Amino acid sequence: MERTAVRGRLNWLVAEVVDLIDETGTVKSIVLDCPDWPLHLPGQHVDIRLTAEDGYQAQRSYSIANPPAGEKVVVTVELVDDGEVSPYLIGELAVGDQIELRGPIGGYFVWTPEHGGPVQLVAGGSGLVPLMAMIRALAESDRRVPVRLLTSARSRETLIYGDELRRLQSSLDNLEVAYTLTRAQPADWQGYSRRVDQQMLAETSWPATERPLGFVCGPTGFVETVAANLVALGHDAARIKTERFGPSGG
Amino acid sequence: MTDMHLDGNALGALFIDLFGQEMTDQNGCCDACGAVNPFGRAVVYRDAPGDVMRCPDCGAVLIVAVRTETRLRVSIQSLRWIEVLE
Amino acid sequence: MAIISRGFKGRRQEDAPRDRVPPGQYVTNDFPVLSAGPTPLISLDKWSLSLTSETGQTTSWTWDEFSALPTEAITVDIHCVTKWTKLDTSWEGVSVDTLLDGVQTSSGFLLVESYDGYTTNLPLADATNGKAWVTHIYDGEPLRPEHGGPARLLVPRLYLWKSAKWVRGLRLSSADQRGFWEGYGYHNYGDPWKEQRYAGD
Ligand SMILES: Cc1cc2nc3c(=O)[nH]c(=O)nc-3n(C[C@H](O)[C@H](O)[C@H](O)COP(=O)(O)OP(=O)(O)OC[C@H]3O[C@@H](n4cnc5c(N)ncnc54)[C@H](O)[C@@H]3O)c2cc1C
Ligand SMILES: [Zn+2]
């Protein structure tokens, strides 16, 4: 896609929290209304900045969860125990509060239906957030690009966007979703019950001969393993884009 | 694995501040090994005192950025060339 | 103008013991891993530590030789420039005084090199007389690679970036020479009690 250069620095914008959605016990989506927000692309992120009374500041990156929609920006934040920023976003932030953010950021780990496919998405934990923006954009598009998602969570309780994925999966015949729960599975569980490995990827993802575009996102260790396994399965490393969120088990 | 790096994407905002445009989908050539990669593929270490961006192929240090209270100091290291949008 | 995030305090603590915790630091119970590159994995049979004098004379120790040197147990507070302080960390290691035993030197500086290419510099006076060690044991266990194992320098009186992980060589020098972070704008000395974070502080 052609893009013209937008020059200049990224300014901090002030957004208002208009809704808070509990995704799981430890994950919340924050719906922001951000005046002057430029349209974003699925896969992009924002930097969020918090400022204490005495001027102390902390900032972190969060992927945008919603497809482009005017001045609305949704982020989905997972609680990191002992974290500095995520416990505040999940536990303190209230509807009506103002928060600073800048973005949208990223031009590499992005996908829109116009980029075509087939597409292979692999998510670990909250790594599903930017991939969900891609899936939501797919659902809104009339381009029927074939997309497969393999998503890994610790347990059903920590699987984000579960209901929405099930709905989209049954309404879109170009979307296939496979799940794995790594720690605890409900009695009637139909999906996988282990960490993502090469065999699981071989069973659930596009064969390398289809030359899919790959997007892998999640904790650093997860991304590392999945990307290495996809390359071992014959995928072209240059077609597998990764976004590492940082430490943690996943 | 104990190695906790991120991808070039994580420095997206820094690149915009430096180059005035989105850079993660622009290419850079490593001066140490000659590999050409989009910035988004670079290997980034952010927990260190500063941000360190390395070549994904050979590990050479490409960019180091140190933020003081008032300034951003950036050292461009092993980059033979970079591309930007005109 | 930044807007204030109602109720946000950050990680700083009002109740930190100020005689133990330097200004701008917070106390952590974890041991955060900081790295500027991949963690080198060095097998003990390939490992060696060298000490080079200003005339170029080199003494080196294999792992077995190093392990045979007398060690000291050290319990100290460590301060990282990224603002965490960890109290009462316990280490075992060989004092730099022991490594320098019998070496005549008029050098003023110690230049430190690591297996990953990292470098740092400090006045020799801050590494001698019981102020610095090459440590290989943390909390009673062999020092793990992500924290600098097989062995790292430990100079608790300075910010932790001076305590080079994966140390390979110590060089005595009459001229000071900035190391990795010092060269990119961090303070050349790095006293946590004076908050010497950046050059000019
Ligand atoms: C490009 C990008 C996009 C991201 N998108 C999202 C997103 O959509 N949703 C989301 O929840 N997070 C996302 N993250 C991670 C996020 O930026 C923060 O790292 C995370 O929220 C932890 O911040 P904190 O201040 O709570 O923890 P910190 O105070 O930074 O860290 C506290 C402790 O937790 C560890 N830690 C740090 N980061 C993580 C992590 N990601 N997982 C587990 N442990 C960690 C640290 O090593 C430390 O020991 C993204 C990161 C990047 C680089
Ligand atoms: Zn290279």
Side-chain angles (χ1 to χ4, degrees), chain A residues 3-10 44-45 47 61 102 104-109 220-221 224 237-240 242-248, chain B residues 1 3-7 9-14 16-17 19-26 38-42 46 67 72 84-86:
Chain A
R3 195 161 54 73
T4 43
V6 183
R7 286 173 207 285
R9 290 173 78 106
L10 271 181
Q44 288 186 307
H45 68 269
D47 281 355
S61 301
R102 58 177 188 164
I105 301 160
Y108 173 74
F109 195 86
T220 297
E224 207 90 327
R239 289 177 76 81
I240 301 168
T242 55
E243 178 138 280
R244 292 165 173 86
F245 275 7
S248 111
Chain B
M1 272 304 289
D3 184 354
M4 276 311 153
H5 60 276
L6 303 174
D7 307 274
N9 299 325
L11 295 187
L14 169 77
I16 295 172
D17 283 349
F19 301 103
Q21 60 175 259
E22 176 59 49
M23 289 297 292
T24 57
D25 53 346
Q26 299 300 319
F39 275 53
R41 263 187 90 83
R46 286 200 88 169
R67 246 169 269 270
L72 173 64
V84 293
L85 283 181
E86 295 222 61

Side-chain angles (χ1 to χ4, degrees), chain A residues 50-52 54 82 84 88 97, chain C residues 3 5-6 8 10-12:
Chain A
L50 302 179
T51 304
D54 64 356
D82 309 328
E84 182 164 43
Y88 177 87
D97 281 349
Chain C
I3 59 152
S5 318
R6 186 187 47 78
F8 177 67
R11 239 199 274 279
R12 293 128 340 116

Side-chain angles (χ1 to χ4, degrees), chain A residues 10-27:
Chain A
L10 271 181
N11 292 321
W12 289 99
L13 303 170
V14 178
E16 187 183 321
V17 179
V18 292
D19 198 9
L20 294 168
I21 303 161
D22 286 317
E23 300 287 356
T24 73
T26 52
V27 181

Side-chain angles (χ1 to χ4, degrees), chain A:
Chain A
M1 275 206 314
E2 279 308 305
R3 195 161 54 73
T4 43
V6 183
R7 286 173 207 285
R9 290 173 78 106
L10 271 181
N11 292 321
W12 289 99
L13 303 170
V14 178
E16 187 183 321
V17 179
V18 292
D19 198 9
L20 294 168
I21 303 161
D22 286 317
E23 300 287 356
T24 73
T26 52
V27 181
K28 243 184 211 180
S29 286
I30 302 167
V31 183
L32 300 165
D33 176 46
C34 188
D36 302 323
W37 182 248
L39 273 191
H40 60 262
L41 297 170
Q44 288 186 307
H45 68 269
V46 295
D47 281 355
I48 286 187
R49 174 167 86 177
L50 302 179
T51 304
E53 297 261 353
D54 64 356
Y56 173 83
Q57 293 186 323
Q59 53 171 289
R60 298 289 184 275
S61 301
Y62 292 96
S63 301
I64 305 171
N66 62 315
E71 300 189 328
K72 177 171 144 182
V73 181
V74 183
V75 295
T76 301
V77 180
E78 180 179 6
L79 180 71
V80 169
D81 289 330
D82 309 328
E84 182 164 43
V85 171
S86 62
Y88 177 87
L89 296 177
I90 288 175
E92 296 273 337
L93 199 67
V95 171
D97 281 349
Q98 291 190 319
I99 192 162
E100 283 181 299
L101 82 171
R102 58 177 188 164
I105 301 160
Y108 173 74
F109 195 86
V110 297
W111 181 84
T112 67
E114 288 71 38
H115 286 96
V119 175
Q120 182 63 51
L121 308 176
V122 187
S126 56
L128 184 52
V129 179
L131 308 185
M132 196 63 188
M134 298 175 188
I135 292 172
R136 287 167 168 163
L138 178 75
E140 288 180 357
S141 165
D142 42 22
R143 289 182 193 245
R144 305 177 66 77
V145 181
V147 174
R148 288 182 182 173
L149 165 70
L150 170 60
T151 186
S152 169
R154 295 201 179 105
S155 62
R156 178 122 94 192
E157 296 70 47
T158 64
L159 178 68
I160 54 172
Y161 313 136
D163 293 340
E164 184 181 352
L165 279 175
R166 264 184 298 280
R167 246 184 296 130
L168 289 174
Q169 198 181 351
S170 55
S171 65
L172 299 173
D173 53 17
N174 51 331
L175 174 69
E176 288 173 52
V177 186
Y179 302 88
T180 185
L181 298 180
T182 57
R183 298 219 184 138
Q185 303 82 22
D188 59 344
W189 181 241
Q190 304 276 311
Y192 291 97
S193 308
R194 57 178 201 268
R195 282 166 172 262
V196 174
D197 55 27
Q198 198 166 316
Q199 194 194 337
M200 195 188 299
L201 286 165
E203 288 166 9
T204 59
S205 55
W206 297 101
T209 48
E210 295 282 336
R211 295 188 40 78
L213 289 170
F215 294 88
V216 183
C217 186
T220 297
F222 174 90
V223 171
E224 207 90 327
T225 311
V226 172
N229 279 320
L230 287 173
V231 170
L233 287 169
H235 292 270
D236 178 1
R239 289 177 76 81
I240 301 168
K241 298 184 175 182
T242 55
E243 178 138 280
R244 292 165 173 86
F245 275 7
S248 111

